[in-house]
């Protein structure tokens, strides 16, 4: 049977993207919705495109050259894409195909005006809209012109912007094909765009209508400002009527032209209120059909709405499923854990199974529902206080939600006042033995886990892990551990508050905590300096490491002079810290033990930038500075009224902070140690599924939740389509920016600092480590790409503990995410690095190589000329 190269819109639905492209599939789906009018038309399929492309001279060679070109080499891409477009347009359409296209045209009506529209297989998809990548031609008249414009649409797959978009998104040019939609032209009185969710705030209950006179090109091209309506719950809640001085109209012989709108009509609304509400009702019907918010192009002709396109709004952050119609407020987990990247399904399902509070997934990120705690006055005050101390932007975002009348219900405080039965826990003594005991408990628990898991395989492994997760949570919720963490944090807050009040000194605790003992994360950074000391005396080792690409390099290293000691030093480091990695709360991320090449650039930086013995020297310098600061603070306090009393209190708190602040980092180390044990067992299970032919590769198991993985092991079956869909979704989640706070209506809030004590043009953030430093900004998004010189200031999105080996070689720190007690802040203080965190869009606003000044005491960053 010969392939059909022309299909009527009524023959198409949204599942046929491969045949008719994204736009064609959406239009076919739209034409099947009851009560929705779509202009009549047909699709020239991707099969027709492939036939023509096969005839294009030298196309394979041109595509090869295009694929090899650098996305940033605009000149080469411009030249090659123009060559391909010209070659496609000059290739004759085979006679039988031309006859099919013009025959379908005759069914629409002799010399009917048409819109000829590109419809690529990678556009208007749930995960990538590709909006505006290919071309549309309006008011095309006559079969010859239609054929010419169909060829132009095929060629528009290779516009410069489409080529660059694909290369930046890792999409192979050969895998994308072009269909073409030919539709009867609508000559509208008004046209525009309807968003079924507010594209700015994300609110799913607010629809936005943009409207202008004539064809929609005037709005899309920015020729006029549209009338804008916002509709919520069936009523118009806001409207702006613009002065619409220009419009685009169709010409009788084909093509379009701009016209000046009659001065008396310019200020008139393009739609009546009744028409706006009718349009939104149609939009809600379309949204329900496609199952997600839509960006809809519409035309109004003779008081009837025609829908000419609908695509998903891909920029909205998804809303967690609550299972009810109540209002909910969610706080981001990633902002507290210093990992705002998306997590794979196994990653977020295991974090939920081992977390102390229920969590909800959306867009590959985790959120905690805080609605009930916000509803009661006492718990609300406590929540805002704790979250505000950590990240003022989260507090501000929550207060913005609370300011909305009635969104969060007010509930009475639950339970009677006063301490719980049994009284409060006994106060914790300032005793280093407490920390020693806690670390021993954790190590014993991890050792028991390692012994117990060795013999477990198949379904028995998953049963064992469910029990292990309970032990995991028991260790995590150990009251003594929580008391020790809080003791260090409360002592820090006390010192900062009191020394500001008594001595007028901001963030004094930052110096007093330098080189605090027992901090496993800061020790991890210093220990890599010791590794560099072993390698530095051997130039051959340095040269070898500069060329390392393969993770099996340790065995090769041992064959060089000094290599055995170097290998042993790196291996000892991995034995202690190899369970760590960037984004470590996602169990699917490759650990340093699995990918030791990640550490090589940092080791080489340390070899280049430091002298032997730097680790011990750095720690000792910090300890001495803290000691001198303590003496200075105490002597200044003694000179005040009630000075001896104040000095005694401060001394008690300094001892307390130095005893407990280092432990703040240990529980995370314990969690990640356990995670590595879980991961090795689960990967072994995934390898068994590969050997049994159930999975193509072990890492496909990462796209299953823990429960689905368990089911796969029991049944020896995996749904390939589910894994494929999950991979596509995960790729799309990288383009989304997770908000700090999200509501069930879809409002994505990032919060604001609302400060007026910052110089004009400075970037505002949270001061977490005192001091001021000036230097070269190094914008680093991947730790493996770090190339740091002494005196550089690290600028990055977030820093979990795995970034701390970089901290030893920098002069300051700026991050987009973070709070006063998050890992990056704690380590910056221990190393004495001026640091400002929570700087919105820092990695975009600061360019790599710019000189900047970091004000770690006052919380802002200046970009220097």
């Amino acid at each position: 049977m010969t392939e059909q190269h022309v299909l009527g819109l009524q023959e198409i639905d949204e599942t046929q993207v491969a045949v008719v492209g994204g736009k064609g599939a959406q239009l076919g789906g739209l034409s099947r919705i009851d009560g929705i009018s779509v202009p009549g038309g047909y699709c020239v399929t991707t099969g027709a495109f492939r036939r023509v492309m096969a005839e294009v001279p030298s196309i394979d060679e041109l595509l090869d050259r295009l694929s090899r070109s650098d996305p940033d080499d605009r000149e080469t891409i411009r030249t090659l894409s123009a060559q391909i477009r010209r070659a496609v347009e000059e290739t004759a359409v085979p006679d039988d195909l031309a006859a099919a296209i013009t025959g379908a045209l005759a069914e629409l009506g002799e010399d009917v005006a048409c819109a000829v529209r590109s419809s690529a297989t990678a556009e208007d998809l749930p995960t990538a809209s590709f909006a505006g990548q290919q071309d549309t031609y309006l008011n095309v008249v006559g079969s010859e012109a239609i054929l010419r414009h169909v060829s132009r649409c095929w060629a528009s797959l290779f516009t410069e912007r489409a080529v660059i978009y694909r290369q930046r998104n890792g999409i192979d040019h050969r895998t994308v094909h072009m269909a073409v939609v030919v539709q009867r032209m609508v000559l509208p009185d008004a046209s525009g765009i309807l968003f079924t969710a507010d594209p700015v705030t994300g609110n799913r209950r607010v629809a936005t209508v943009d409207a202008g006179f004539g064809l929609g090109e005037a709005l899309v091209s920015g020729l006029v400002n549209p009338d804008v309506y916002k509709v919520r719950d069936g009523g118009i809640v806001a409207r702006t009527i613009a002065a619409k001085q220009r419009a685009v109209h169709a010409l009788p012989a084909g093509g379009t032209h701009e016209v000046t709108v009659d001065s008396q009509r310019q200020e008139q609304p393009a739609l009546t209120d009744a028409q706006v509400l009718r349009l939104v009702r149609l939009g809600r019907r379309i949204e329900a059909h496609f199952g997600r918010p839509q960006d809809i192009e519409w035309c109004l002709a003779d008081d009837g709405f025609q829908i000419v396109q609908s695509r998903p709004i891909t920029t909205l952050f998804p809303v967690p499923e609550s299972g009810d119609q109540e209002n909910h407020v969610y706080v981001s987990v990633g902002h507290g854990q210093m990992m705002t990247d998306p997590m794979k399904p196994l990653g977020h399902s295991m974090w939920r199974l081992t977390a102390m509070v229920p969590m909800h997934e959306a867009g590959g990120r985790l959120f905690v529902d805080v609605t009930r705690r916000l509803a009661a006055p006492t718990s609300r005050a406590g929540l805002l206080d704790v979250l505000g101390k950590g990240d003022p932007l989260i507090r501000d975002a929550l207060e913005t939600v609370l300011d909305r009348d009635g969104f969060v219900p007010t509930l009475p405080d639950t339970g009677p006042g006063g301490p719980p039965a049994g009284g409060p826990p006994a106060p914790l003594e300032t005793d280093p033995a407490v920390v020693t005991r806690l670390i021993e408990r954790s190590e014993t628990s991890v050792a028991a886990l390692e012994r117990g898991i060795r013999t477990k395989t198949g379904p028995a492994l998953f049963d064992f892990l469910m029990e292990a997760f309970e032990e995991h949570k028991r260790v995590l919720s150990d009251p003594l551990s929580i008391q020790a963490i809080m003791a260090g944090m409360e002592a820090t807050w006390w010192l900062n508050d009191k020394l500001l009040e008594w001595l007028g000194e901001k963030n004094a605790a930052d110096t007093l905590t330098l080189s605090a003992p027992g901090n496993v994360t800061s020790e991890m950074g210093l220990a890599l300096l010791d590794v560099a000391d072993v390698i530095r005396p051997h130039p051959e080792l340095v040269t070898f490491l500069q060329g390392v690409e393969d993770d099996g390099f340790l065995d090769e290293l041992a064959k060089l002079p000094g290599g055995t000691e170097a290998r042993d030093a790196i291996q000892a480091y991995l034995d202690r810290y190899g369970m760590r990695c960037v984004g470590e709360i996602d169990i699917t991320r490759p650990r340093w033990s699995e990918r030791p090449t990640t550490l090589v650039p940092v080791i080489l930086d340390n070899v280049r930038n430091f002298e032997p013995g730097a680790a011990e020297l750095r720690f000792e310098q910090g300890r001495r500075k803290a000691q001198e600061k303590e003496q200075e603070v105490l002597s200044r306090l003694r000179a005040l009224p009630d000075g001896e009393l104040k000095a005694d209190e401060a001394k008690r708190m300094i001892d307390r902070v130095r005893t407990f602040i280092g432990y703040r980092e240990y529980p995370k180390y314990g969690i990640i140690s356990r995670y590595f044990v879980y991961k090795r067992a689960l990967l072994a299970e995934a390898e068994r599924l590969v050997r049994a032919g159930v999975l193509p590769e072990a890492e496909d198991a990462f796209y299953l939740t823990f429960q689905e993985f368990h089911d796969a092991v029991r049944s020896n079956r995996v749904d390939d389509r589910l894994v494929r869909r999950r991979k596509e979704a995960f790729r799309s989640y990288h383009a989304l920016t997770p908000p700090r706070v999200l509501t069930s209506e879809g409002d994505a809030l990032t919060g604001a600092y609302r400060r007026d004590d910052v110089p004009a043009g400075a970037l505002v953030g949270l001061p977490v480590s005192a001091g001021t430093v000036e230097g070269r900004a190094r914008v680093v998004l991947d730790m493996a790409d770090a190339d740091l010189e002494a005196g550089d200031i690290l600028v990055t999105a977030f820093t979990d503990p795995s970034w701390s080996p970089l901290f030893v070689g920098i002069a300051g720190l700026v991050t987009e995410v973070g709070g006063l007690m998050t890992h990056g802040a704690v380590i910056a203080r221990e190393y004495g690095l001026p640091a400002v965190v929570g700087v919105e869009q820092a990695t975009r606003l600061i360019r790599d190589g710019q000189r900047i000044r970091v004000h770690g005491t006052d919380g802002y960053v200046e970009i220097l000329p």
Side-chain angles (χ1 to χ4, degrees):
M1 194 176 101
T2 56
E3 186 182 348
Q4 236 182 316
H5 288 322
V6 173
L7 294 171
L9 287 181
Q10 297 291 341
E11 301 174 74
I12 299 164
D13 66 27
E14 57 267 35
T15 65
Q16 291 168 271
V17 172
V19 179
V20 295
K23 189 177 290 140
Q26 290 283 106
L27 283 166
L30 280 166
S31 64
R32 291 164 177 256
I33 305 173
D34 191 34
I36 301 298
S37 295
V38 176
Y42 59 92
C43 256
V44 182
T45 67
T46 54
F49 168 77
R50 283 193 296 274
R51 259 189 77 183
V52 170
M53 286 297 284
E55 303 291 321
V56 176
S58 310
I59 189 64
D60 285 328
E61 184 204 333
L62 288 167
L63 286 174
D64 282 343
R65 286 169 61 196
L66 194 62
S67 296
R68 287 196 301 270
S69 61
D70 184 332
D72 295 322
D73 184 355
R74 301 296 287 264
E75 195 51 49
T76 299
I77 288 175
R78 187 175 298 125
T79 305
L80 281 171
S81 55
Q83 267 182 275
I84 294 171
R85 285 199 306 279
R86 193 162 53 249
V88 173
E89 286 185 42
E90 289 171 359
T91 299
V93 179
D95 290 348
D96 61 324
L97 183 53
I101 294 169
T102 55
L105 178 66
E107 290 179 33
L108 291 182
E110 201 56 47
D111 282 339
V112 66
C114 290
V116 182
R117 315 170 70 194
S118 305
S119 179
T121 53
E123 69 173 7
D124 295 354
L125 307 179
T127 56
S129 81
F130 283 69
Q133 295 299 320
Q134 283 87 36
D135 293 345
T136 286
Y137 302 96
L138 301 178
N139 203 37
V140 181
V141 179
S143 54
E144 211 175 294
I146 293 284
L147 283 171
R148 192 166 62 251
H149 285 86
V150 166
S151 284
R152 283 187 183 172
C153 283
W154 287 332
S156 77
L157 191 63
F158 300 99
T159 61
E160 187 186 340
R161 65 182 181 274
V163 165
I164 290 170
Y165 188 95
R166 286 197 294 274
Q167 291 197 209
R168 292 231 160 105
N169 284 278
I171 296 166
D172 184 346
H173 301 301
R174 284 184 169 82
T175 63
V176 183
H177 301 127
M178 180 67 83
V180 182
V181 177
V182 180
Q183 273 181 293
R184 182 192 295 276
M185 187 74 190
V186 180
L187 303 177
D189 305 315
S191 57
I193 299 164
L194 158 65
F195 296 98
T196 63
D198 188 316
V200 178
T201 67
N203 193 302
R204 307 308 201 260
R205 287 176 66 178
V206 176
T208 303
V209 176
D210 289 6
F213 294 125
L215 291 166
E217 291 305 286
L219 303 191
V220 174
S221 63
L223 190 64
V224 296
N225 289 326
D227 298 340
V228 181
Y229 299 85
K230 290 196 184 292
V231 177
R232 182 184 172 106
D233 301 337
I236 295 172
V237 293
R239 65 161 62 72
T240 306
I241 307 303
K244 299 169 289 296
Q245 295 167 341
R246 314 283 291 163
V248 174
H249 285 275
L251 288 164
T256 61
H257 69 139
E258 282 179 36
V259 298
T260 302
V261 176
D262 182 66
S263 58
Q264 292 172 317
R265 283 191 72 210
Q266 287 178 10
E267 305 272 354
Q268 284 180 7
L271 297 176
T272 66
D273 285 4
Q275 286 169 334
V276 169
L277 296 177
R278 178 154 44 106
L279 176 61
V280 171
R281 285 197 295 275
L282 293 174
R284 292 287 178 222
R285 194 176 292 182
I286 293 167
E287 179 183 63
H289 174 84
F290 289 119
R292 58 194 304 152
Q294 298 287 302
D295 160 357
I296 298 164
E297 292 180 26
W298 56 268
C299 296
L300 177 71
D302 304 323
D303 197 36
F305 285 105
Q306 298 268 322
I307 305 300
V308 293
Q309 189 164 338
S310 184
R311 61 167 76 93
I313 309 174
T314 56
T315 54
L316 297 176
F317 200 87
V319 178
E321 288 179 20
S322 64
D324 60 38
Q325 297 302 306
E326 303 297 315
N327 290 346
H328 293 270
V329 182
Y330 302 97
V331 169
S332 163
V333 171
H335 284 81
Q337 289 294 337
M338 297 297 91
M339 212 296 272
T340 53
D341 288 347
M343 298 167 76
K344 294 190 177 99
L346 185 63
H348 61 67
S349 66
M350 285 192 68
W351 192 258
R352 289 167 76 175
L353 285 166
T354 52
M356 301 311 300
V357 292
M359 292 180 181
H360 305 260
E361 182 272 335
R365 279 77 168 191
L366 291 171
F367 294 86
V368 173
D369 187 343
V370 295
T371 321
R372 289 195 68 81
R373 290 178 69 188
L374 286 175
T378 304
S379 60
R380 178 193 309 149
L383 181 72
L384 290 175
D385 184 51
V386 169
L387 292 178
K389 275 196 172 109
D391 184 342
L393 292 177
I394 290 180
R395 178 177 185 135
D396 183 79
L398 289 173
E399 286 174 338
T400 301
V401 176
L402 288 167
D403 285 343
R404 294 178 186 167
D405 281 349
F407 187 83
V408 176
T410 300
L411 299 174
D413 284 317
T414 51
L428 193 61
E429 283 182 59
T430 302
D431 181 359
V434 171
V435 173
T436 307
R437 193 158 74 247
L438 284 166
I439 290 172
E440 281 171 0
R441 278 190 205 174
S442 177
E443 287 174 345
T444 302
S445 177
V446 173
L449 171 68
E450 287 179 316
R451 280 195 307 276
I453 208 166
R454 276 180 202 145
T455 56
K456 305 296 187 292
T457 61
L461 168 67
F462 289 83
D463 295 338
F464 174 84
L465 283 171
M466 288 306 289
E467 289 176 26
F469 296 163
E470 291 310 306
E471 167 66 2
H472 181 123
K473 289 194 274 193
R474 189 195 64 73
V475 172
L476 210 54
S477 61
D478 180 340
L480 186 65
S481 177
I482 292 165
Q483 268 188 291
I485 292 168
M486 291 310 297
M489 287 164 63
E490 284 165 355
T492 304
W493 295 331
W494 188 96
L495 284 166
N496 280 335
D497 288 347
K498 290 296 183 186
L499 297 182
L500 179 63
E501 180 191 332
W502 292 339
L503 300 176
E505 187 167 339
K506 282 184 185 175
N507 302 335
D510 295 358
T511 310
L512 293 165
T513 52
L514 285 170
S515 299
N519 185 318
V520 69
T521 309
S522 62
E523 286 166 2
M524 179 170 75
L526 296 173
L528 209 56
L529 289 176
D530 291 336
V531 172
D533 285 354
V534 179
I535 292 163
R536 193 180 292 105
H538 304 284
E540 278 183 77
L541 295 182
V542 175
T543 304
F544 171 77
L545 288 173
Q546 284 166 342
V548 157
E549 288 177 4
D550 182 352
D551 284 312
F553 72 90
L554 287 176
D555 292 335
E556 292 299 311
L557 192 67
K559 297 172 185 173
L560 297 168
T564 306
E565 293 81 359
R567 182 198 59 193
D568 292 349
I570 294 172
Q571 192 56 60
Y573 186 86
L574 291 173
D575 290 345
R576 175 86 166 111
Y577 304 112
M579 78 293 284
R580 310 220 82 149
C581 67
V582 172
E584 61 193 9
I585 67 169
D586 180 353
I587 200 169
T588 71
R589 290 286 191 104
R591 311 283 133 177
W592 290 341
S593 284
E594 297 168 319
R595 196 173 289 172
T597 46
T598 307
L599 293 173
V600 170
V602 193
I603 293 170
L604 288 170
D605 282 351
N606 288 349
V607 167
R608 189 174 68 243
N609 295 334
F610 290 93
E611 295 296 318
E616 195 177 342
L617 186 68
R618 284 286 298 267
F619 188 80
E620 190 48 40
Q621 282 174 340
R623 198 184 62 77
R624 206 164 48 248
K625 268 191 200 165
Q627 220 168 15
E628 287 164 4
K629 185 69 180 173
E630 178 181 327
Q631 297 309 319
E632 178 221 315
V633 162
L634 296 179
S635 68
R636 285 169 66 197
L637 287 174
R638 287 190 189 102
L640 298 175
D642 294 327
E644 284 301 329
L645 196 62
K646 287 179 172 126
D648 286 349
E649 280 188 81
K651 172 63 176 157
R652 200 165 61 251
M653 285 301 176
I654 292 168
D655 290 348
R656 198 162 176 76
V657 82
R658 290 195 68 81
T659 299
F660 291 116
I661 201 67
Y663 179 72
R664 159 77 182 84
E665 291 292 297
Y666 194 85
K668 183 76 168 279
Y669 175 81
I671 291 169
I672 302 306
S673 299
R674 301 178 78 86
Y675 255 43
F676 195 34
V677 179
Y678 305 153
K679 183 178 187 180
R680 281 179 298 198
L682 288 169
L683 268 177
E685 210 53 51
E687 295 286 1
R688 273 189 278 279
L689 290 179
V690 171
R691 289 196 294 275
V694 178
L695 285 175
E697 50 189 63
E699 292 196 355
D700 282 355
F702 295 164
Y703 295 94
L704 304 174
T705 64
F706 182 80
Q707 187 55 55
E708 289 163 350
F709 194 174
H710 190 180
D711 294 342
V713 166
R714 263 206 313 262
S715 65
N716 256 5
R717 278 208 317 274
V718 168
D719 181 349
D720 295 342
R721 288 165 310 174
L722 173 70
V723 171
R724 208 161 43 245
R725 279 202 310 276
R726 292 267 177 82
K727 284 182 177 180
E728 282 172 17
F730 179 71
R731 268 198 300 274
S732 75
Y733 294 155
H734 282 278
L736 299 173
T737 301
R740 283 175 167 80
V741 171
L742 185 63
T743 73
S744 48
E745 291 186 350
D747 289 294
L749 299 108
T750 53
Y753 285 106
R754 307 185 196 283
R755 285 172 53 188
D756 54 11
D757 59 343
V758 171
L763 308 180
V764 187
L766 182 65
V768 295
S769 185
T772 301
V773 68
E774 195 176 299
R776 178 179 67 159
R778 294 314 310 260
V779 180
V780 180
L781 299 178
D782 183 340
M783 186 175 150
D785 298 334
D787 180 15
L788 299 165
E789 298 286 350
D792 282 348
I793 296 167
L794 175 64
V795 180
T796 190
F798 57 79
T799 59
D800 60 8
S802 69
W803 285 77
S804 65
L806 293 184
F807 285 21
V808 297
I810 58 175
L813 175 70
V814 179
T815 68
E816 294 180 342
V817 175
L820 198 59
M821 282 297 166
T822 47
H823 303 278
V826 171
I827 306 307
R829 288 195 290 273
E830 285 226 2
Y831 286 167
L833 298 175
V836 180
V837 303
V839 180
E840 279 290 289
Q841 299 194 347
T843 58
R844 290 176 210 162
L845 298 172
I846 299 170
R847 288 197 314 276
D848 187 52
Q850 277 185 317
R851 286 196 71 74
I852 61 173
R853 189 180 295 127
V854 177
H855 295 263
T857 308
D858 295 309
Y860 63 90
V861 179
E862 291 179 284
I863 298 173
L864 303 174

